[in-house]
Amino acid sequence: MVDTQVVQNHYVMDFETMVNLFCAVFIHYKTDEKKVFIIHDLKDDTEEFLEFLDHNKRFHEWHISFNGLHFDSQITEAILKKKDFINISTKERLTFIYATSQAIIKRVEQWPEYPEWKLSIKQIDVFKINHWDNANKRSSLKWIECMIDWDNVQEMPIHHTTEVHSWEDINMIVDYCINDVLSTKKVYNLSRPLLEVRMSVKKKYNLPCIN
């Protein structure tokens, strides 16, 4: 369990990175509070998204993810480190995020560019906590959803290389992302005993062992 004496809010999260759409969904780890940020020609929430990330940093709020250490957190850190991100055009932002995501995917078998100890926003990665990165236990979120009898196992409805131009398609991607976040939240709650052991070890020995 996260040390709530230090922070009050943490968010289960997921990103969808498409060639001309970025979607970020955050759901509070205890409540139904939900935040959705979109970067697209039809709607650009960049300012609100950066304000949210800044709030996470200042108040030491954690992000809870599935494989976030090697993907989502890397995108977050790249955005935070790009000092002109707020000043460039929507198209340039999308190009930057998409190129960053593809570079991360290509590095999948390597160490991430931003190691955990350098992240501006701390991560709880249920993929790592459950050792699903182990070659003998490797599992996708979809497989885990099947194992926990999740009631809505979805595949990505639109390929990431396909341009999205309508609100109908944007909402479809957002709904897909929300479903992934909700299932990740379920996995997080099921993983609490594993996390509590790590938190107690961290507190007793001051070891960075959460993930």
Side-chain angles (χ1 to χ4, degrees), residues 6-93:
V6 177
V7 289
Q8 298 300 317
N9 294 304
H10 313 290
Y11 293 90
V12 187
M13 53 79 68
D14 187 39
F15 293 158
E16 299 302 333
T17 57
M18 303 182 67
V19 69
N20 74 327
L21 169 68
F22 173 71
C23 169
V25 172
F26 298 84
I27 297 178
H28 194 278
Y29 80 126
K30 283 188 175 180
T31 73
D32 294 330
E33 177 193 356
K34 178 168 55 186
K35 297 180 183 294
V36 177
F37 304 100
I38 294 168
I39 301 178
H40 186 267
D41 287 342
L42 295 178
K43 188 175 190 288
D44 192 337
D45 295 326
T46 296
E47 186 173 347
E48 295 85 351
F49 179 50
L50 292 177
E51 288 175 354
F52 177 72
L53 295 180
D54 182 63
H55 189 278
N56 296 154
K57 286 174 57 179
R58 286 189 294 115
F59 291 94
H60 307 288
E61 296 171 349
W62 295 44
H63 289 174
I64 301 165
S65 64
F66 188 98
N67 200 27
L69 281 175
H70 277 256
F71 187 74
D72 308 83
S73 71
Q74 302 297 301
I75 294 172
T76 298
E77 199 66 25
I79 290 172
L80 291 173
K81 283 187 164 34
K82 187 168 178 59
K83 298 186 182 301
D84 64 343
F85 190 77
I86 190 64
N87 297 317
I88 59 179
S89 68
T90 299
K91 183 177 181 180
E92 288 172 319
R93 289 177 192 135

Side-chain angles (χ1 to χ4, degrees), residues 13-208:
M13 53 79 68
D14 187 39
F15 293 158
E16 299 302 333
T17 57
M18 303 182 67
V19 69
N20 74 327
L21 169 68
F22 173 71
C23 169
V25 172
F26 298 84
I27 297 178
H28 194 278
Y29 80 126
K30 283 188 175 180
T31 73
D32 294 330
E33 177 193 356
K34 178 168 55 186
K35 297 180 183 294
V36 177
F37 304 100
I38 294 168
I39 301 178
H40 186 267
D41 287 342
L42 295 178
K43 188 175 190 288
D44 192 337
D45 295 326
T46 296
E47 186 173 347
E48 295 85 351
F49 179 50
L50 292 177
E51 288 175 354
F52 177 72
L53 295 180
D54 182 63
H55 189 278
N56 296 154
K57 286 174 57 179
R58 286 189 294 115
F59 291 94
H60 307 288
E61 296 171 349
W62 295 44
H63 289 174
I64 301 165
S65 64
F66 188 98
N67 200 27
L69 281 175
H70 277 256
F71 187 74
D72 308 83
S73 71
Q74 302 297 301
I75 294 172
T76 298
E77 199 66 25
I79 290 172
L80 291 173
K81 283 187 164 34
K82 187 168 178 59
K83 298 186 182 301
D84 64 343
F85 190 77
I86 190 64
N87 297 317
I88 59 179
S89 68
T90 299
K91 183 177 181 180
E92 288 172 319
R93 289 177 192 135
L94 290 167
T95 298
F96 171 76
I97 294 172
Y98 186 71
T100 299
S101 71
Q102 295 309 296
I104 291 168
I105 291 169
K106 288 178 181 178
R107 291 175 59 96
V108 66
E109 298 300 331
Q110 305 174 35
W111 293 106
E113 182 174 359
Y114 303 108
E116 184 176 0
W117 62 274
K118 282 190 176 182
L119 295 178
S120 301
I121 300 171
K122 291 185 180 295
Q123 279 269 335
I124 293 175
D125 189 339
V126 297
F127 179 72
K128 297 286 287 184
I129 288 173
N130 287 277
H131 299 295
W132 289 322
D133 57 334
N134 182 298
N136 296 315
K137 295 176 63 177
R138 189 171 297 278
S139 301
S140 67
L141 180 58
K142 306 309 168 193
W143 178 255
I144 300 304
E145 287 175 350
C146 291
M147 293 300 97
I148 64 174
D149 292 326
W150 191 246
D151 60 0
N152 188 18
V153 180
Q154 297 180 338
E155 291 294 339
M156 183 67 167
I158 302 174
H159 194 268
H160 64 87
T161 59
T162 301
E163 290 196 356
V164 172
H165 296 291
S166 69
W167 270 111
E168 180 182 1
D169 286 344
I170 292 174
N171 289 331
M172 190 187 306
I173 297 298
V174 170
D175 288 344
Y176 168 80
C177 194
I178 289 172
N179 185 64
D180 273 2
V181 174
L182 289 172
S183 64
T184 300
K185 184 175 180 177
K186 174 69 172 180
V187 174
Y188 164 76
N189 285 323
L190 291 171
S191 304
R192 288 284 291 277
L194 295 174
L195 183 57
E196 287 167 358
V197 170
R198 286 159 171 75
M199 290 301 295
S200 64
V201 171
K202 179 179 182 295
K203 184 176 181 180
K204 184 174 183 179
Y205 299 106
N206 195 29
L207 292 174

